[in-house]
Amino acid sequence: MAKINQQYRKTIEQIRLDSEDYADEQMQGIYQDQNDKLDEVHAMIGLIYIKYAVDGLLNLSGKQKTNILNDVQVKLTKISKDLGNAEVDKVTSILGDTYKTTYYKNAFVFDKLGINSNFNILKKQFIDQAINRVYKEETFSDRIWNNKASMVDRLYNLIKDASTGGTTIDQIGKQIKDAFGVQAYQSRRLVRTEVARNAVSSQEQIGKDAGCEQVQWSSVLDNRTAEYDASLDGQVWGINDDHPYPVENTHPNCRCILLNISYKGWTPDKRMDNETHQLIDYTDYATWAKNKGINDNTPD
């Protein structure tokens, strides 16, 4: 086989890491939009306190409270809609690019190995189907909109509580910032999870198109790998068999991959030690962890 065979595992793992880096880079505009919307909500609250606060606390009549909360609901709904539309559009683009890039990069690796260079040209319909696949009764866009709805509910309830006169502007300002922080975390976790799921799906498809009959679980060799993920390291299944999948059968932010096995009996001879960032002779996670003195870990 070609020289790249010694680097096969590292190369496939790097394709996965590149997709995560690409997603993080592409999402920066979304994260900035979220910060801008946070400033917008802070400004809205500031104006309410300037107009209606007495001794640092809101002092509202029943009618004033009703009018303010109605206005707040309208503004929060618009903010949620703006953020949701932008995030759905961006994540859709990221997932489409990730699926295509992962597929064609894997095809290039197989070509270097001399394995079936006559791969399919991906059709938009096929890519869209992969992107919008239902997982636990939701598409990725469903999860984005659910996250935004939860944020609106939390923000509204915080402001509603403040309207009763028991919350200072500093307190409500921090609470609003925390609510946006939760929403930002959800956005980051969602895109990384969806990119990982998308990459796994693309790698499986290129494996099938290349005529591979088996896949091997590959866990990252570092102290952040979860116990269950590590326990699967090195296991082999038929590519069409019922077997675990990274993310779907593990956890969000799972960094494991499924290696397509180019021919029966093939085993990798090198892999990356993510602690030292050096290529080492192949060993499974359990042996590696024992030699490193690493105990069981929990998921990210």
Side-chain angles (χ1 to χ4, degrees):
M1 286 221 162
K3 186 178 180 180
I4 198 172
N5 184 46
Q6 294 184 350
Q7 303 271 342
Y8 177 63
R9 192 187 200 105
K10 176 186 175 183
T11 303
I12 301 304
E13 288 177 348
Q14 189 60 50
I15 292 172
R16 167 70 178 278
L17 294 175
D18 288 345
S19 68
E20 293 176 356
D21 291 342
Y22 174 74
D24 287 341
E25 177 185 346
Q26 291 295 306
M27 287 291 288
Q28 291 308 307
I30 297 298
Y31 302 146
Q32 183 58 54
D33 286 346
Q34 293 172 353
N35 287 332
D36 292 343
K37 295 301 184 186
L38 169 60
D39 292 341
E40 189 176 323
V41 175
H42 274 158
M44 176 179 66
I45 293 300
L47 290 175
I48 294 172
Y49 270 78
I50 289 172
K51 188 172 182 179
Y52 297 104
V54 176
D55 296 329
L57 300 173
L58 290 178
N59 186 9
L60 302 169
S61 67
K63 184 176 180 180
Q64 288 172 334
K65 184 186 299 184
T66 298
N67 290 338
I68 287 172
L69 290 178
N70 286 341
D71 187 48
V72 164
Q73 183 70 64
V74 170
K75 290 179 179 178
L76 290 179
T77 299
K78 184 179 185 305
I79 286 173
S80 171
K81 184 177 180 180
D82 290 345
L83 288 176
N85 283 329
E87 190 168 336
V88 168
D89 288 346
K90 179 56 68 175
V91 174
T92 298
S93 175
I94 290 171
L95 294 181
D97 290 344
T98 297
Y99 194 93
K100 289 184 291 186
T101 301
T102 300
Y103 185 92
Y104 290 127
K105 281 186 176 181
N106 275 268
F108 176 79
V109 172
F110 278 137
D111 185 60
K112 289 296 183 181
L113 290 170
I115 303 171
N116 188 2
S117 60
N118 298 316
F119 295 107
N120 297 327
I121 300 297
L122 293 174
K123 296 180 180 179
K124 184 179 184 300
Q125 180 181 1
F126 187 80
I127 297 171
D128 290 345
Q129 183 180 357
I131 291 173
N132 295 304
R133 188 161 56 95
V134 174
Y135 175 66
K136 292 185 177 180
E137 300 182 353
E138 291 183 327
T139 64
F140 82 89
S141 58
D142 292 331
R143 284 185 280 278
I144 288 176
W145 286 116
N146 287 338
N147 289 342
K148 298 299 176 284
S150 295
M151 179 191 71
V152 168
D153 288 345
R154 184 176 181 185
L155 289 172
Y156 179 82
N157 288 328
L158 288 172
I159 297 170
K160 182 179 180 181
D161 289 344
S163 71
T164 63
T167 308
T168 67
I169 191 170
D170 288 341
Q171 290 171 329
I172 187 66
K174 183 180 183 304
Q175 291 169 349
I176 289 170
K177 183 178 180 181
D178 290 345
F180 267 86
V182 169
Q183 192 269 154
Y185 169 77
Q186 290 171 335
S187 293
R188 285 180 170 85
R189 188 173 76 162
L190 181 143
V191 71
R192 290 181 178 178
T193 299
E194 293 299 329
V195 163
R197 184 179 293 119
N198 212 249
V200 169
S201 177
S202 182
Q203 284 182 306
E204 180 182 55
Q205 188 60 50
I206 191 67
K208 291 179 179 179
D209 290 345
C212 295
E213 297 181 8
Q214 295 178 316
V215 290
Q216 183 184 74
W217 189 279
S218 180
S219 305
V220 178
L221 295 184
D222 65 23
N223 62 7
R224 295 167 54 202
T225 296
E227 179 182 3
Y228 177 72
D229 301 2
S231 71
L232 297 175
D233 188 50
Q235 291 192 39
V236 174
W237 301 276
I239 196 169
N240 293 311
D241 291 347
D242 183 18
H243 59 77
Y245 284 89
V247 183
E248 293 197 10
N249 301 111
T250 52
H251 52 86
N253 291 336
C254 177
R255 298 173 299 142
C256 299
I257 64 171
L258 289 173
L259 284 170
N260 290 306
I261 296 180
S262 54
Y263 60 89
K264 285 188 176 181
W266 176 86
T267 55
D269 50 10
K270 298 286 183 181
R271 70 183 306 184
M272 176 66 71
D273 183 328
N274 217 44
E275 295 283 317
T276 64
H277 300 288
Q278 299 292 321
L279 273 180
I280 62 173
D281 290 337
Y282 179 80
T283 184
D284 61 28
Y285 188 96
T287 302
W288 175 86
K290 182 178 180 180
N291 291 336
K292 292 278 187 175
I294 293 176
N295 297 320
D296 295 340
N297 299 298
T298 56
D300 291 344

